[in-house]
Amino acid sequence: MRKIGLGILISGRGSNMDALIRACEQPDFPAFVSVVISNRPDAPGLKKAEGRGIATSVVDHEKYPDRADFEKNLQKILDAHPVDLICLAGFMRILGAAFIRPWEGRIINIHPSLLPDYKGLQTHERVIADEKKESGCTVHHVIPAMDEGSVIVQKKVPVLAGDTPAMLAARVLEKEHEAYPEAVRILAGKLKGRQKVGIA
Ligand code: GAR
């Protein structure tokens, strides 16, 4: 089986990254993790990835004068690894069009709401405040507009009476860990082998 290489971008805890790493450890899963990159040097996810023998790298956004420079360095790391698909997994930086365009179709994100509802931050707080009966998560293609781009996988959970944002977040997160590997499997079937591209 031809496997695709994943470049996973994180900013923090890395539980979705971990779910992807674990999926990739299954022999019949059509992907492997090439590299995990964090924009924060202290992201706990980095240690988790290292502990599982995955190459990691830090591109600290605070060290670069502007977004273009940050993204150029991000691209450099991606170029140094066999990456067919970028998976944003709790990556909390907005990427610009110059970075995204060459990757379009091969860069995806996970978001803790049923997009197109509740784009942006504080999703669970807003869902509870609006007294919604249902929430969930979405894996979607990344385009140069935040939390837009076509949906690949969506999973729903009920919002229960008395839910706090943390309780709802935990219920949604369980579904995120199922949804992300599912989405990667779907895309692996569509991407024809390795086709690494870089920004010229
Ligand atoms: C996840 O809930 C993910 O959906 C969310 O951040 C969390 C990261 O957790 N992403 C966003 O809100 C992106 N807009 P993790 O680091 O444990 O995967």
Side-chain angles (χ1 to χ4, degrees), residues 89-167:
F91 183 69
M92 303 312 254
R93 298 299 297 171
I94 290 177
L95 294 166
F99 179 86
I100 293 171
R101 286 280 181 228
W103 284 98
E104 249 180 292
R106 303 187 304 117
I107 176 166
I108 62 178
N109 180 43
I110 188 152
H111 184 76
S113 80
L114 296 174
L115 290 175
D117 294 341
Y118 301 100
K119 295 170 187 163
L121 300 175
Q122 313 290 338
T123 54
H124 310 300
E125 284 82 350
R126 289 184 284 142
V127 164
I128 290 169
D130 290 349
E131 299 181 0
K132 294 285 179 189
K133 294 279 169 274
E134 210 170 49
S135 190
C137 64
T138 306
V139 183
H140 63 97
H141 284 285
V142 172
I143 61 169
M146 193 187 67
D147 298 334
E148 310 248 354
S150 54
V151 171
I152 304 157
V153 172
Q154 205 157 48
K155 289 196 181 277
K156 294 180 178 172
V157 301
V159 181
L160 303 177
D163 263 354
T164 61
M167 286 158 76

